Amino acid sequence: MDEIFKKQVYELTRLIPKGRVSTYGAIAKALGYPNHARHVGKAMGGCPRDVPAHRVISSGGVLSVPEFQIKLEGEGIVINNLRVRDFKNLFWNPMNEL
């Protein structure tokens, strides 16, 4: 995976507001790579500490990393069985919000 793509993923992820979540697919699509959600996931696996990786979840509203539940709950997001409650209302779509 190329470093420019990773940097773009990190920059976009930093824009997700506290208390909101986005998806790997939404980030990939916003960057012009609609079929590269897995690449976004790989990039997030080694991201810098200042990137709020906990705010990026699966398209079904499920946490990919269970350890992120504490961080999300700290931002006021309710999680039930690793699923974000009220996902549709909390979803931050970069295509619409930037």
Side-chain angles (χ1 to χ4, degrees):
M1 176 180 335
D2 127 323
E3 290 301 313
I4 293 171
F5 179 76
K6 285 182 181 181
K7 287 181 181 183
Q8 291 174 334
V9 168
Y10 303 154
E11 288 175 19
L12 188 54
T13 301
R14 285 184 184 106
L15 298 175
I16 303 170
K18 285 184 180 180
R20 304 281 301 279
V21 293
S22 194
T23 65
Y24 300 103
I27 290 171
K29 186 175 181 179
L31 294 175
Y33 300 95
N35 298 316
H36 287 74
R38 287 180 189 242
H39 291 286
V40 172
K42 284 184 180 183
M44 298 305 286
C47 68
R49 288 189 169 271
D50 68 325
V51 175
H54 61 284
R55 296 183 191 145
V56 184
I57 62 175
S58 75
S59 61
V62 177
L63 304 186
S64 300
V65 181
E67 293 80 12
F68 288 164
Q69 180 171 342
I70 294 170
K71 288 184 176 186
L72 289 170
E73 289 174 337
E75 294 182 5
I77 295 175
V78 177
I79 310 291
N80 291 330
N81 296 321
L82 297 180
R83 185 175 299 277
V84 172
R85 189 192 307 162
D86 206 19
F87 170 64
K88 289 185 180 185
N89 288 326
L90 296 176
F91 176 62
W92 183 80
N93 186 345
M95 297 293 286
N96 296 337
E97 303 205 35
L98 291 180

